[in-house]
Amino acid sequence: MSKEVGLVIVGTEILSGKREDRHFLRSRQQLARRGYGVAWCLIVPDTRDILLTQLRWAMAQSVPFFSFGGLGATPDDLTRDGAAAAAGVTLSRHAEAEALIRQQFGDEAEPVRVRMADLPIGARLIPNPVNNVPGFSVGNGYFFPGFPQMAEPMSDWVLEQHFPPLVADIEARVLLPSAREGNLVPLMESFCAAHPDIRFSSLPSFTATGPQIELGVAGQEAPVQVAIRDLKARLNLMGLEVQDL
């Protein structure tokens, strides 16, 4: 089981600045509560060719992904069709989804709302407690509406059903005042080679008093504790000031 989840956020309105994205931060926090991280994040427009290309890429990855937006019945809602094409199937009227939509909207389900029951063949439903119009999963993708108030309980359900809680990774960080990143590349390379089971990061910045670097190591607790001790020892041998964060 992957410890990370990809995110696809669909909406030209986000790229144009008409709407602010609310899915990335919420999803990152939601995943973290169960010990998962974000593997990658794509923000794509409501443009069929681009959406299809990115969904095909996402479905070819080894990690599952959550997709938000584009599930409605208007001409710019292209995610259902794109997900089907990316999965190599066609859209078909899903009987259970249709029944839920008709139950929710009655006569107003026709002629438009019922189209939201046209899902990729083989799709599995994701319940929507807000208005009963379900999301769906196909392949390694889980597809939710663009409305955060719907997406959050729906993705909570998916996590409860399919993503068992994991022991969260930890991170240890140190600050190197006045250090310059270019001077430490050989040390970073040898350190990373010695600790392939941890994730390493280097974040340089400039302050009023000059340059500084924040170094981090992340992973499971035992290897992180070993790695951070080794990193501090290597930095001390270079005569650098090292501050814990």
Side-chain angles (χ1 to χ4, degrees):
M1 183 70 183
S2 172
K3 296 178 63 175
E4 295 181 313
V5 175
L7 302 177
V8 177
I9 301 168
V10 183
T12 301
E13 67 277 6
I14 295 172
L15 294 170
S16 68
K18 294 179 180 177
R19 295 281 178 88
E20 292 293 328
D21 168 61
R22 293 170 55 191
H23 294 293
F24 175 78
L25 178 60
R26 180 194 59 76
S27 296
R28 184 169 62 79
Q29 294 170 339
Q30 184 183 45
L31 290 165
R33 288 194 293 269
R34 296 184 70 84
Y36 294 83
V38 176
W40 44 262
C41 180
L42 305 174
I43 300 178
V44 298
D46 300 291
T47 304
R48 190 182 190 282
D49 290 347
I50 297 175
L51 178 60
L52 177 55
T53 297
Q54 299 306 322
L55 287 178
R56 280 177 173 160
W57 178 87
M59 288 188 178
Q61 304 309 301
S62 60
V63 301
F65 69 93
F66 290 177
S67 175
F68 303 97
L71 299 189
T74 59
D76 60 340
D77 287 318
L78 305 172
T79 302
R80 288 179 292 109
D81 181 61
V89 298
T90 59
L91 289 178
S92 179
R93 184 64 53 91
H94 193 290
E96 184 180 351
E98 179 180 5
L100 288 167
I101 292 170
R102 292 189 183 279
Q103 179 182 353
Q104 178 71 20
F105 297 104
D107 292 341
E108 294 182 355
E110 292 284 0
V112 174
R113 290 183 174 92
V114 73
R115 296 175 189 169
M116 292 185 287
D118 294 340
L119 303 179
I121 291 176
R124 302 166 297 278
L125 297 188
I126 298 171
N128 180 342
V130 177
N131 71 354
N132 288 322
V133 179
F136 64 92
S137 63
V138 61
N140 60 331
Y142 298 83
F143 294 83
F144 308 97
F147 299 104
Q149 65 268 36
M150 295 183 188
E152 183 166 6
M154 294 171 72
S155 51
D156 267 335
W157 183 88
V158 166
L159 289 168
E160 289 286 346
Q161 295 294 315
H162 301 292
F163 293 79
L166 300 175
V167 176
D169 286 348
I170 68 166
E171 183 178 19
R173 298 176 296 140
V174 295
L175 181 68
L176 310 179
S178 303
R180 294 184 179 276
E181 195 174 45
N183 297 334
L184 297 180
V185 171
L187 179 149
M188 295 177 189
E189 291 175 338
S190 62
F191 171 78
C192 289
H195 300 276
D197 51 352
I198 59 95
R199 300 187 302 277
F200 173 81
S201 63
S202 174
L203 299 175
S205 60
F206 290 90
T207 70
T209 58
Q212 63 180 22
I213 310 171
E214 181 181 320
L215 301 180
V217 294
Q220 292 296 293
E221 183 172 5
V224 164
Q225 296 297 345
V226 172
I228 196 64
R229 287 195 295 269
D230 182 31
L231 180 61
K232 289 179 180 179
R234 292 170 185 251
L235 295 168
N236 287 331
L237 283 175
M238 293 187 66
L240 294 171
E241 179 185 355
V242 181
Q243 299 177 2
D244 288 319
L245 292 175

